[in-house]
Amino acid sequence: MNEILEKLPMPSEKRIAMHLSPQAEHAVRKRHPWVFRKGVASQSAEGSPGDLAVLFDRKREFLGIGLYDPDELIRVRVLQFGKQMPVDAAFFEGRLRKAAEQRLSLLRRDTNAYRVVNGENDLLPGLIIDRYAETAVIKIYTPAWIPHLKDIVNGLDKVMSPENIVLRLSNSIQSRPEYAHGLTNGISLKGSCETVVFKENGILFEADPVNGQKTGFFLDQRDNRSRAEALAEGKTVLNVFSYTGGFSIYAARGGALSVASLDISKPAIEAAKRNFELNRENNKIASAEKEFIAEDAFEALSGMYKAGRAFDMVIIDPPSFAKKQADVKNALSAYARLVKMGLNVLNPGGTFIMASCSSRISPEMFFTTVGRAASETGRRLNEIEKTAHALDHPVKFEEGRYLKCLFSTAL
Ligand code: SAH
């Protein structure tokens, strides 16, 4: 066992008995996985991140058990609803095994990268595990996981024995090093943390588990990338917010004549070039004309419009614009601006694909904003399909439903 894990605090024996407000009680009964600070009516003791909070209703009946975090707005992340079981190594192994089994069918699709654990939606709240071939990347969003990390790593070893395990820490943990117990973002918990090559629907990509965005790749867009591939034949394609070229390479394999990848991140654009290169044996991917642009999307789109450039397919998959509730209004206007700028460089009858990954923007708000912005430019979007997450990103509660994507023909 890695000595870093040996040095971490052990899970505490302490249990914090917690009584909830009627509203919070109602939410937990409906299996909402979060208890907010204001939902705690009383608690038997103070605690440290990772202590277990046992939740009771007004009649002192057991409601659930969860991971306590004294400093976060989300005070408790629920691990068990209704029925009490010990929270120990065997419990975590069981949860991991169940999550892994649900993803087995993906492996048959010439794919060896997928989300093994999707946090709350796999009843392991605040914990993400993505697998890229033989490398597993664990990302934790609360220090409450740190005392339980050894159980997670051991469980993962038993369930899928990855050669390498890398740990990523959320910004909020990185900003509270006193809780990190020496763990740092990108640290190796097993094997190496080198860049890894994996396969998604037969296409090779690299992921850098240490410096890459999120855990190294955006696995949630896998099915949407396939849909773009199916629409790309014979088209000139612009992929805005391309990251490492995911949609671009699928479009090329789908028979696109040319593919331009645009992202503000130079390392992402360099990785996109390498990803194309990794797939040079595929004739279509090799023969599509390629262009790589490391620039701000808004500036580049406006420059292309001024230069009179236009494409047959425009894909826009921006980062989350609404990190907090107060950002929602600005986010909606940024989406509207992008729709207009994207349509400015799309030929009549072209394919327009637009995604949003902000959980605070509901599908309804998003699709309405996109449609309205299009009509303000005098174009109409004929819907082909509206989609959400891929199979390995199950959604079990409202806030988990972040991804939406519109496929349309712009008249
Ligand atoms: N479509 C990608 C994922 C996109 S994630 C895929 O399938 O893998 C969002 C991307 O937007 C990131 O790569 C980030 O570097 C990029 N980005 C953020 N702000 C940007 C801006 N102002 N202009 C261009 N790219 C930007």
Side-chain angles (χ1 to χ4, degrees), residues 98-381:
K98 185 154 184 235
E101 278 167 3
Q102 282 169 3
R103 275 81 174 175
L104 281 178
S105 65
L106 277 168
L107 291 169
R108 290 196 285 273
R109 287 197 239 157
D110 217 1
T111 295
N112 61 6
Y114 55 95
R115 177 149 293 186
V116 184
V117 170
N118 194 26
E120 280 71 358
N121 307 289
D122 285 297
L123 286 171
L124 292 167
L127 178 84
I128 295 292
I129 305 180
D130 285 341
R131 182 178 184 182
Y132 302 103
E134 281 308 320
T135 297
V137 186
I138 300 178
K139 180 153 185 184
I140 53 173
Y141 286 85
T142 159
W145 276 107
I146 291 175
H148 307 281
L149 202 55
K150 202 155 93 175
D151 287 343
I152 291 293
V153 170
N154 285 335
L156 196 60
D157 247 340
K158 290 203 181 128
V159 169
M160 56 177 52
S161 56
E163 274 170 31
N164 313 301
I165 302 180
V166 178
L167 179 71
R168 297 288 297 259
L169 304 176
S170 67
N171 291 338
S172 83
I173 304 178
Q174 292 184 56
S175 66
R176 291 151 72 194
E178 69 276 20
Y179 285 142
H181 298 279
L183 296 173
T184 49
N185 188 38
I187 199 167
S188 159
L189 300 179
K190 183 186 176 190
S192 94
C193 49
E194 277 166 24
T195 294
V196 52
V197 173
F198 65 90
K199 210 181 250 193
E200 185 185 85
N201 290 316
I203 298 180
L204 296 169
F205 288 103
E206 62 167 52
D208 176 346
V210 178
N211 304 302
Q213 297 187 30
K214 302 276 175 182
T215 62
F217 198 69
F218 291 88
L219 295 167
D220 52 356
Q221 289 284 30
R222 180 192 312 106
D223 292 354
N224 288 333
R225 287 190 276 269
S226 285
R227 293 181 179 104
E229 174 177 11
L231 295 166
E233 178 86 57
K235 291 185 177 149
T236 55
V237 176
L238 171 63
N239 179 13
V240 189
F241 304 101
S242 66
Y243 190 47
T244 55
F247 278 97
S248 305
I249 301 175
Y250 274 78
R253 190 173 68 172
L257 298 178
S258 68
V259 187
S261 306
L262 162 60
D263 199 284
I264 199 165
S265 156
K266 282 202 179 75
I269 287 293
E270 289 308 312
K273 291 179 188 168
R274 290 193 295 273
N275 283 334
F276 266 102
E277 199 48 32
L278 281 174
N279 294 282
R280 62 180 174 272
E281 276 167 29
N282 178 296
N283 285 340
K284 285 187 176 162
I285 297 175
S287 62
E289 198 181 305
K290 299 155 194 83
E291 186 181 347
F292 300 93
I293 311 159
E295 241 184 273
D296 171 71
F298 293 90
E299 282 174 21
L301 283 168
S302 127
M304 286 175 179
Y305 178 50
K306 283 188 197 134
R309 284 194 74 178
F311 301 83
D312 304 325
M313 177 189 267
V314 172
I315 302 161
I316 304 182
D317 179 23
S320 173
F321 288 140
K323 295 249 159 66
K324 47 186 194 309
Q325 196 54 33
D327 299 337
V328 166
K329 208 167 144 236
N330 286 343
L332 289 175
S333 54
Y335 285 126
R337 244 178 98 205
L338 280 173
V339 171
K340 292 178 185 170
M341 297 182 95
L343 290 176
N344 277 341
V345 295
L346 182 67
N347 287 323
T351 305
F352 186 66
I353 302 175
M354 172 114 187
S356 157
C357 61
S358 315
S359 65
R360 285 185 177 79
I361 310 264
S362 69
E364 199 193 350
M365 261 154 94
F366 175 67
F367 293 126
T368 307
T369 302
V370 173
R372 194 177 297 144
S375 62
E376 280 170 17
T377 67
R379 307 275 293 263
R380 204 177 74 229
L381 298 181

